[in-house]
Amino acid sequence: MNWIMNKKRTLFFKIFVSFLAIISLFCLFYILIYYVFKTSLQEEIVQSSLNETNNTAERFSNHMEQIQIMLFHVYNNQDLVSFNRQLQRVGFQEADYLKAKNVMKDIRGYVYNSLFLLEDVIVHFPKEHFAFGKSGSGSSDYMFNTSYRSDIYPLEHWETLTTEPHTFLISPAASFQMNAGSPESRHLLPYTFKSPGSPYQIIAMIDIQKAIQSFFGTTDGHTLIITDHQSNILYRSGSTPEGEAIPVFQDGETTRKENGRYYFKAEGADGLMYITSLEDTRIADQLQRLTGYMVLIFVFSLLAATLVSLYLSRRLHTPVKHMLSSLLDRTSLNKADEVGQEESHILEYDLIQSRIGELKKEKDTIVAKLNRQNAILTNYSYMNQLKNINTDLSEWNDFLADGGSYQLVYYDIRFRISENGSMPLDRERAVRHLLDYIHLLTKERFHANHTFQMEKNEIVSVLKEPSPFQLQALLEQLKASLDEEKHYYVVTICTLPAMNQPTKFSETYQQLRDLASSARLLEETQLISGARPLPNVDQPLVKRGRELDQALQALEEDNCMDWIRQAFAYFVKKDASVLQFRQLALDITSHIVEFLDQQLSYKATGVPLSEWENAFQDCHSQDDYETVFKHIVSSVLAIMRDSKLPATEEPTIAMFYEIINSHYMEDISLEYLSAKLNLSTTYLSVYIKDKTGINFSEHLQTIRMRKACELLATTNWTINEISVRVGYQNITSFNRIFKKTTGISPGTYRKQHLMEIHQQQKHVD
């Protein structure tokens, strides 16, 4: 009992008990979190399955809508309409089968398009007993009793289908034997279209297995049933028991539990009903397995934390014990000097131990000296010796070599473009000004500090043993001052907890840079003191890139910008970092340039990709990004409009466009083109005028002026630099031609453009 009471007063016991108290709090928190998580997990699984059912219904509905549009287009194919008229007028033998061949070619285009998931599209003329599809034509008997044979859908079914009142009819999926005598069979879903009174019908054979794979997946134990509006089963997944009855859902009910299974219902826009089911035992198994894992982790964590606490407590206590022994027992210090002092690997303890040893040696030296000289003022001499200890920290090496803690403050500076398109500040001078200002404020609050510039837009302050309250006050003062100049630059200030090891300066500096890249997209100074979990954002190019391609193909600038706004709005909603916003902008730009190269008959070498990418460095809001993309989209669509070939698609004209778009900035002439195209100058001039409607010089001037407008709007280059970049060495000629083309001077054009952008931003705000 006395031993326990004595141990309670030791540093080891107090440290160990403190660790155990912290571990106990974490254990209680862990148990509470697990209880809440377990009770909500089942609801999350059910909700996730319902969402999956809704997504499946939406995907199938969209696909069925595309199938309907395809059937309507095939049905109204001019060659098919003409072929039908010939069958009705001159009969089966005299009809022009070249028109049917053209229809088959159109059908193959749909069938071999992987987006439609089709096995075949069949055009059936019941009265003529004639049908054709992707592989050719033949009799109805051969088509439905040999090529696509099914016990459920014999030839008589397709012949009597003409009497049905439906225009679009989806029949239940069935197994079709592809060729008589062949073991190959496919599970197909027939989708029929016919017009009332029409002599022919269009049958789309949908590969339902591929559709299920694409729109639902192959989750084990998770099954799918598709019914029509009359509750007729159109498809039942292979893992679904045939005898399983479909539960009756009440009005507005989407989830139901019957016979040990969960059922989820979703109605598609196509009128079909999609029902998925999940065994209740799967949810129970997941919860049981999760409980086992969590208990195992909990026990292991508790045991590991206890052992680590015991180890750390001993390690913290042992150096203190040695120091006390050295202070209380003088012989222990002498023995340690003879054997070599044991290091504790804790910087503060080692420094204290070292200083204690130095002080004791110094004391012994002074005492021996005073004893020899019979000095009276031994205390005075002793104090004089203590004053010889060097505590000067003015130099950088001594600053880091000293045993105290230090803290880094990182400043990331991002400059902005003014309304007139120019840089309002000299960046180098501005950074130096900020460096002096930060150093001045820091020195007022912290005696031991160093402030210096790392990169061209980075400033770092190293503070010796800073007080958290003083540091917070300094950062708030800096934020207030920097926000007053946020129309010139935006600063992100990052800090991490104080460090004791100077060797980790580089590692800490890199961590601060990473923190700056995780900052939010704000137009103000941000104070970041710890990492935040970055959102997991899905790239819109992966799922919806086709919509952007369609808008670019149709030269619809508003639709392109709507797509880009939605992409950035999604990132804003997810609270993405500046690095994620910049990567999104780069990805969209690369996608647009790749699409442009695919659409043109030549590679668009005149596209200023690097200039667009540099413009993103100065974007600090969603409006800034949209402004840059408006210029990019406008320029790309202008290139696509000007680079479209005439209807004749002459190779010579295509080569002419390629050369002039690639070398417009050079001193290009008609003689240069004639040498490249191996044609006479006179003939080439007349040929270009005849095929395009305008002569060579007008083509060249149009391209150069379009490029000049783009550079005036998207860069801060001088007018003289832009004149040279678009092929005019004489700025007077450039100004004259630009004003003749646009009606205003280059400088006025730039000012008007920036005023429009500013007004748009004010309107949005």
Side-chain angles (χ1 to χ4, degrees), residues 518-520 532-538 570-577 580-581:
S518 67
R520 294 176 170 84
R532 69 181 180 102
L534 296 181
N536 184 14
V537 291
D538 295 330
Y570 176 77
F571 272 52
V572 172
K573 181 180 178 181
K574 286 289 187 177
D575 196 19
S577 66
Q580 289 175 317
F581 272 101

Side-chain angles (χ1 to χ4, degrees), residues 60 115 155 160 189 211 215 277 315-316 329 374 378 391 414 489-490 529 628 639 649 694 708 731:
F60 265 103
L115 297 178
L155 175 60
T160 59
L189 179 73
F215 304 142
S277 65
R315 187 169 182 181
L316 292 173
D329 186 5
N374 296 319
T378 54
T391 58
R414 291 177 288 150
Y489 43 76
V490 176
S529 59
V628 176
I639 293 174
E649 296 185 352
I694 59 177
I731 191 173

Side-chain angles (χ1 to χ4, degrees), residues 208-260:
I208 190 62
Q209 298 292 356
K210 290 183 179 178
I212 294 298
Q213 189 81 11
S214 299
F215 304 142
F216 180 66
T218 57
T219 306
D220 295 336
H222 208 173
T223 60
L224 172 67
I225 300 174
I226 304 176
T227 67
D228 59 14
H229 62 281
Q230 296 178 348
S231 300
N232 298 319
I233 296 178
L234 300 179
Y235 174 78
R236 185 192 295 265
S237 65
S239 59
T240 305
E242 291 292 337
E244 180 183 358
I246 301 177
V248 178
F249 289 84
Q250 302 297 327
D251 293 339
E253 187 179 22
T254 58
T255 303
R256 191 173 187 83
K257 182 180 179 182
E258 284 189 7
N259 301 324

